Amino acid sequence: MRSRIRIDFTYRNFRRELALHPALGVAVFGFIPLILVSCLGVGFYSIFRDDMLASLIRGQARMQAAYEERIGALRSQIEVDASQRIQDRRALQARVADLAGRQARLEIHTAQVSALAAQIYPAAEAARLDPAATSIAVRHVPAPPAAKPALAVKIAKPAPAGFDLRGPQPLDPSGEDLSENVDTITPERKLRDLASNFDSIEQGQIAALENLRAPLAAKAERLLRAFDEANLPVDRLLRHAASRRPGKAGSGVGGPFEPAPVGADAFERAYAGVSQSLAAIDGLRGALSYAPLRQPLFGPLDVTSSFGFRTDPFLGRPALHSGMDLRGDTGDPVRATAAGRVVLAGPSGGYGNLVEIDHGAGLATRYGHLSQIAVEEGQWVEAGAVVGEIGSTGRSTGPHLHYEVRTDGVAVDPSRYLRAGLLLNSAL
């Protein structure tokens, strides 16, 4: 039996004996001191080798600097992200404010278009001349068919699919149920769709204005053609009508001309075009009151002698007939063909009983051979007012009306004005 290494532990009355195998004893009492000696050697080596200690310290310092740099970069990224979010929020608020302003402008534009339509439609029906005053049936002039105004514009108030930037309304302009995919609809998309919706509404408003402007422009052109047909002094008539308009005398407008900028709002340009056409038509209509375009007698006109050279009925020699003779019965009413002031009412040589009316702008009309005179000199008469009755006074062979139109004192062919009256009846 091999010998064992015995170790006795004794303390006062306590005694303990421990028996170890020799190999285990060698391991315990041999290796443990060796390990202790190695640890002491490594410790003394580390202490007395400054370069190793400094390398360890530098490594720790580098690690600390790397951590601090990383923390600083993250802090900077957080600040950048926060600043970007603030900028995005401000940009979003600015776009919302811009769209809210556009919505308000669209509502104002709709009200303007509706007001123009309300102004044009009644005027289109009421501005037609009195049929009794314009249904001229001169045998020498066939009457063209009357054209009824056709203005068909449907104005709709802008309603951007239930989206109102000024109130708590849903943001989706498409009207779809987005309850299942609400997270996929971003504010950017909502604003983009809303802006597209506003663009469509604005284009519709501009199209509505064009639908109003085109018939007005065509009507103004027909009015001008009628004025040209009668060779009427349009500018002088417009100025005269403006001076006679209540509250307009002495008023004026002016200022230097500055063309509209190229980038001006399309709606404003279209609205200005309609307003200008409407103003032009209103001006021409006002001038019509002073243009002798109505017929002087009721019913179809029977022309017995035209304007120009003819054989004198009394002398049988060539003579200039300064007006046109219209058949009628004694006592038939004679009407003023335009508004104006009576400058002569009484006997006047070969005219017999004569009424002369000054309409302004160099235009005047004469009504001769009257049996009765119903007006006085200096009296203002409106278009269509009765100025006398048909007769056969003066140099006349029988009851009829001698009707003259004079421009700046020179007699002109009245039939031109009757034809212009027919054109105006179809134009209005």
Side-chain angles (χ1 to χ4, degrees):
M1 181 176 179
R2 294 182 180 180
S3 60
R4 292 178 176 272
I5 300 175
R6 297 181 180 277
I7 302 174
D8 292 330
F9 296 96
T10 304
Y11 181 74
R12 293 183 180 180
N13 296 328
F14 176 80
R15 184 174 179 280
R16 179 80 173 177
E17 181 178 344
L18 181 64
L20 299 174
H21 191 276
L24 183 58
V26 172
V28 172
F29 294 103
F31 287 104
I32 290 179
L34 181 60
I35 292 173
L36 292 175
V37 171
S38 299
C39 290
L40 290 174
V42 171
F44 281 110
Y45 181 80
S46 300
I47 293 173
F48 292 102
R49 288 295 301 273
D50 295 339
D51 54 347
M52 181 177 292
L53 183 61
S55 176
L56 291 174
I57 294 173
R58 286 194 299 271
Q60 292 293 326
R62 284 195 296 270
M63 291 177 62
Q64 182 177 357
Y67 283 128
E68 291 177 351
E69 182 179 359
R70 179 60 178 167
I71 292 172
L74 292 175
R75 185 180 293 112
S76 299
Q77 185 63 38
I78 291 173
E79 293 177 354
V80 170
D81 292 342
S83 176
Q84 184 64 40
R85 283 195 296 272
I86 292 174
Q87 293 179 1
D88 292 343
R89 187 181 301 111
R90 290 176 178 174
L92 186 64
Q93 292 173 349
R95 291 190 61 185
V96 170
D98 178 68
L99 290 175
R102 285 190 64 185
Q103 181 178 356
R105 289 194 299 274
L106 288 175
E107 292 176 355
I108 293 174
H109 291 171
T110 296
Q112 291 176 327
V113 175
S114 299
L116 274 180
Q119 183 179 0
I120 291 171
Y121 291 151
E125 294 297 331
R128 301 175 65 86
L129 293 177
D130 182 5
T134 54
S135 58
I136 306 170
V138 181
R139 289 180 297 179
H140 307 291
V141 185
K148 184 175 181 60
L151 300 176
V153 182
K154 184 177 181 181
I155 311 296
K157 182 177 181 181
F163 187 91
D164 192 340
L165 292 172
R166 297 166 295 177
Q169 300 292 337
L171 292 179
D172 180 59
S174 65
E176 300 177 357
D177 183 7
L178 302 177
S179 57
E180 296 182 357
N181 60 343
V182 67
D183 293 336
T184 63
I185 306 301
T186 63
E188 179 67 24
R189 175 185 167 184
K190 296 171 186 176
L191 293 179
R192 185 172 59 252
D193 293 343
L194 185 60
S196 177
N197 193 17
F198 284 173
D199 290 339
S200 299
I201 294 173
E202 186 174 20
Q203 292 301 319
Q205 291 177 339
I206 294 174
L209 286 175
E210 178 59 25
N211 289 339
L212 291 175
R213 186 202 63 80
L216 288 177
K219 185 179 296 183
E221 184 177 355
R222 290 195 297 269
L223 287 171
L224 288 175
R225 281 205 305 267
F227 275 81
D228 290 340
E229 174 67 22
N231 198 25
L232 288 168
V234 179
D235 294 336
R236 293 170 63 181
L237 279 172
L238 289 174
R239 288 195 299 269
H240 178 66
S243 67
R244 298 288 307 179
R245 192 174 304 171
K248 296 296 183 179
S251 63
V253 294
F257 171 75
E258 291 187 13
V262 177
D265 184 72
F267 177 88
E268 297 299 334
R269 293 198 299 271
Y271 184 83
V274 176
S275 299
Q276 290 172 0
S277 296
L278 186 58
I281 290 178
D282 288 342
L284 291 173
R285 285 175 179 155
L288 289 180
S289 298
Y290 307 97
L293 303 176
R294 296 155 184 83
Q295 64 181 38
L297 300 177
F298 288 101
L301 299 182
D302 188 358
V303 180
T304 59
S305 181
S306 301
F307 174 87
F309 291 98
R310 68 174 182 176
T311 301
D312 183 79
F314 292 96
L315 301 179
R317 294 184 302 183
L320 175 64
H321 189 212
S322 59
M324 62 190 309
D325 291 339
L326 304 174
R327 190 190 306 275
D329 296 328
T330 301
D332 287 348
V334 177
R335 304 189 309 162
T337 56
R341 192 170 302 280
V342 178
V343 295
L344 179 61
S348 180
Y351 287 101
N353 292 330
L354 174 69
V355 171
E356 181 175 353
I357 301 175
D358 181 10
H359 306 289
L363 292 172
T365 54
R366 291 181 177 180
Y367 311 83
H369 308 307
L370 301 178
S371 61
Q372 297 290 333
I373 295 177
V375 293
E376 299 177 352
E377 293 184 7
Q379 178 180 343
W380 179 267
V381 294
E382 298 294 339
V386 175
V387 297
E389 298 175 358
I390 285 182
S392 184
T393 59
R395 201 166 182 267
S396 170
T397 61
H400 72 282
L401 171 68
H402 175 84
Y403 175 60
E404 286 187 16
V405 177
R406 290 181 174 265
T407 301
D408 293 326
V410 178
V412 294
D413 187 357
S415 64
R416 298 183 58 180
Y417 294 86
L418 298 180
R419 286 195 296 268
L422 289 173
L423 290 175
L424 286 173
N425 186 40
S426 61
L428 294 176

